[in-house]
């Protein structure tokens, strides 16, 4: 049953599953893009007194520990049958969210480097357990035809909220907001685990209908097959390009103060609306076309965005008199569009490459390698660039070249594959 059918029939039990999943995905990703990515930098540098380089090193450690934990736990989920058990996944998530509430509450009181390191490791373990369990809920709550729309809804909500609140990027602000959002989630999960309503049994059987992903219709996809490895490599490239470029933009006051840390609320609202528009566009494209269209669009948008940034930097170098005002709002707007495109794709892709027997491993390997390992490597490369005094223009030029290379490589790959298919069909049609 799709969400449209459920609305027409007034099937509130199925609609509860959709709403619960979108809220869970939104809450988890909001925690990641605000508290983890922005709040920990403030905690490490301002309250603990570490250098930005040291904090970046700990963030790379967080990415690596999360990756290892997620893959180990995702494989365990599949082998023990937890991936297809809604009740098991809810119990796991209740434990994860309780741990994260405690960690988030105590974070503003961390003051020493050993405490900061211990906090990072514990948070990594909880996230490594949490995200394969969260993605595995897709098969319980979301019908295959609706996954693009649900991914778009979670992306739009996450980035809209992250851009408009809180505007203060201090760990205390993030801690208050995240704990306030998590506590109702803990209560709801506790009810579902300890006092499950009767309709939960019906939702627990939906994976028999919703479980086989869109790209597994002709048979299960193995992580050793090109059907899984090619999207994995492309998504790794997307995260790497995004992280490598955004780390340098965040480290450049003239760029970040005119966009994500602007004192003007209108700028934050603009970025939030652009994220929503981008998510809606990506949801439509994912539902209507093949995933390669979204990859092409994402690489194209990142290429264009970094071209705009480098163009502005060159103008400022060549004609200083023309660069006295704030930087163009178009640059972060296109950046936000690209981020919404690939986030929507990332939410929908791994469940659609999975079955109830493989979703734990596939989501852990997909998100772990493409998301967390790429972040680890891009952080290390950004630190190397910083230590060797690579200029802002050279840094963004490199990111732009990578995005262009991936865009052109993918376009050529699609063309060659299409020509090969036509050649094969032509030979099959020839008389003997």
């Amino acid at each position: 049953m799709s969400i449209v059918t459920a609305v027409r029939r007034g099937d509130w039990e199925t609609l509860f599953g959709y709403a619960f999943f979108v809220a869970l995905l939104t809450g988890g990703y909001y925690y990641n893009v605000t508290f983890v990515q922005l709040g920990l930098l403030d905690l490490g540098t301002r309250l603990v007194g570490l250098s930005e380089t040291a904090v970046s090193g700990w963030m790379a450690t967080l990415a690596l520990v999360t990756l290892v934990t997620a893959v180990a736990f995702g494989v365990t989920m599949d082998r023990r049958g937890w991936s297809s058990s809604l009740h098991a996944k809810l119990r796991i998530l209740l434990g994860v969210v309780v741990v994260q509430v405690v960690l988030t509450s105590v974070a503003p009181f961390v003051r020493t480097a050993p405490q900061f390191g211990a906090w990072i490791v514990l948070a990594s373990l909880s996230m490594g357990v949490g995200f394969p369990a969260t993605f595995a809920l897709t098969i319980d709550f979301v019908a295959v035809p609706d996954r693009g729309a649900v991914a778009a809804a979670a992306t739009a909500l996450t980035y809209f909220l992250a851009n408009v609140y809180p505007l203060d990027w201090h760990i205390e602000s993030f801690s208050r907001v995240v704990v306030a959002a998590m506590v109702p989630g803990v209560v709801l999960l506790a009810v579902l685990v300890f006092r499950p309503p009767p309709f939960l049994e019906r939702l627990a059987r939906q994976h028999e209908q919703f479980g086989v992903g869109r790209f597994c219709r002709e048979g299960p996809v193995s992580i050793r097959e090109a059907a899984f490895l090619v999207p994995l490599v492309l998504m790794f490239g997307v995260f790497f390009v995004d992280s490598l470029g955004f780390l340098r933009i965040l480290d450049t006051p003239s760029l970040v103060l005119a966009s994500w840390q602007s004192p003007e609320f209108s700028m934050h609202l603009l970025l939030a609306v652009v994220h929503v528009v981008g998510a809606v566009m990506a949801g439509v494209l994912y539902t209507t076309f093949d995933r390669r269209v979204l990859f092409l669009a994402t690489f194209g948008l990142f290429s264009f965005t970094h071209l705009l940034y480098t163009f502005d930097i060159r103008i400022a170098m060549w004609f200083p008199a023309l660069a006295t005002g704030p930087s163009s709002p178009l640059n972060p707007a296109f950046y936000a569009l690209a981020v919404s495109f690939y986030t929507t794709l990332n939410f929908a892709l791994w469940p659609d490459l999975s079955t109830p027997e493989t979703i734990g491993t596939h989501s852990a390997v997909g998100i772990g390698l493409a998301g967390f390992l790429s972040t680890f490597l891009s952080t290390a490369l950004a630190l190397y660039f910083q230590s060797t005094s690579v200029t802002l223009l050279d840094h963004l030029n490199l990111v732009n070249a990578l995005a262009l290379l991936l865009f052109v490589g993918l376009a050529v790959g699609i063309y060659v594959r299409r020509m090969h298919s036509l050649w094969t069909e032509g030979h099959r049609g020839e008389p003997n």
Side-chain angles (χ1 to χ4, degrees), residues 20 26 74 81 86 104 113 130 136 191 248 292 295 326 330 342 344 365 378 386 392 400 422 426 429:
F20 177 74
T26 300
L86 174 60
T104 306
V191 170
R248 190 58 185 257
R292 289 170 292 187
F295 275 119
L330 283 179
Y342 88 76
T344 302
V365 171
S378 62
Q386 189 175 345
L392 174 64
N400 191 21
L422 291 175

Side-chain angles (χ1 to χ4, degrees), residues 3 23 28 46 68 100 123 143 145 180 198 219 255 265 270 303 306 321 332 342-343 360 367 370 387-388 400 424:
I3 190 170
R46 185 171 61 88
V68 173
Q100 290 184 341
L255 298 181
F265 181 75
L270 170 67
S303 303
H306 286 94
Y342 88 76
T343 305
I367 300 166
S387 67
T388 53
N400 191 21
T424 304

Side-chain angles (χ1 to χ4, degrees), residues 91-324:
R91 287 194 295 271
I92 292 166
L93 284 174
L94 177 59
V96 168
V97 178
V98 168
V99 170
Q100 290 184 341
V101 167
V102 174
L103 287 173
T104 306
S105 302
V106 303
F109 303 100
V110 171
R111 288 294 182 274
T112 66
Q115 291 174 356
F116 186 70
W119 194 100
I120 290 286
V121 171
L122 291 173
S124 307
L125 293 173
S126 71
M127 287 194 296
V129 172
F131 80 73
T134 302
F135 273 74
L137 286 175
T138 309
I139 62 173
D140 301 293
F141 295 133
V142 185
V144 173
D146 295 329
R147 289 182 181 172
V150 168
T155 301
L157 280 171
T158 299
Y159 283 113
F160 186 89
L161 295 172
N163 275 279
V164 298
Y165 195 79
L167 302 184
D168 176 17
W169 283 8
H170 287 156
I171 190 70
E172 295 89 345
S173 302
F174 287 128
S175 177
R176 284 193 297 270
V177 172
V178 171
V179 169
M182 280 182 170
V183 169
V186 170
V187 174
L188 180 57
L189 279 168
V191 170
L192 294 178
V193 169
F194 296 112
R195 298 287 183 186
F199 69 82
L200 201 64
E201 283 303 319
R202 178 191 158 201
L203 298 183
R205 293 193 301 274
Q206 286 192 144
H207 72 271
E208 298 167 3
Q209 181 185 355
F210 296 169
V212 178
R214 173 183 172 187
F215 305 117
C216 298
R217 289 170 184 163
E218 297 177 359
V221 173
S222 164
I223 58 173
R224 300 182 185 86
E225 293 179 28
F228 187 88
L229 292 175
V230 171
L232 179 66
V233 171
L234 292 174
M235 193 58 83
F236 181 94
V238 170
F239 274 100
F240 190 86
V241 165
D242 176 25
S243 182
L244 188 61
F246 196 61
L247 284 171
R248 190 58 185 257
I249 291 171
L250 279 182
D251 206 35
T252 306
S254 61
L255 298 181
V256 75
L257 288 175
S259 51
W260 289 275
Q261 277 196 313
S262 169
E264 302 294 332
F265 181 75
S266 58
M267 187 66 211
H268 294 267
L269 189 60
L270 170 67
L271 294 177
V273 171
V274 170
H275 270 298
V276 173
V277 172
V280 172
M281 292 169 64
V284 172
L285 288 174
Y286 183 84
T287 304
T288 309
F289 299 103
D290 189 87
R291 56 195 182 276
R292 289 170 292 187
V293 173
L294 266 178
F295 275 119
L296 269 178
T298 302
F299 289 130
L301 281 169
F302 271 129
S303 303
F304 184 66
T305 302
H306 286 94
L307 187 65
L308 290 176
Y309 273 114
T310 54
F311 180 77
D312 283 355
I313 295 169
R314 287 191 177 92
I315 290 293
M317 291 169 58
W318 296 337
F319 308 103
L322 298 177
T324 54

Side-chain angles (χ1 to χ4, degrees), residues 292-293 296 409-419:
R292 289 170 292 187
V293 173
L296 269 178
L410 178 58
V412 170
I414 293 172
Y415 177 78
V416 170
R417 184 178 178 184
R418 179 61 182 158
M419 289 300 103

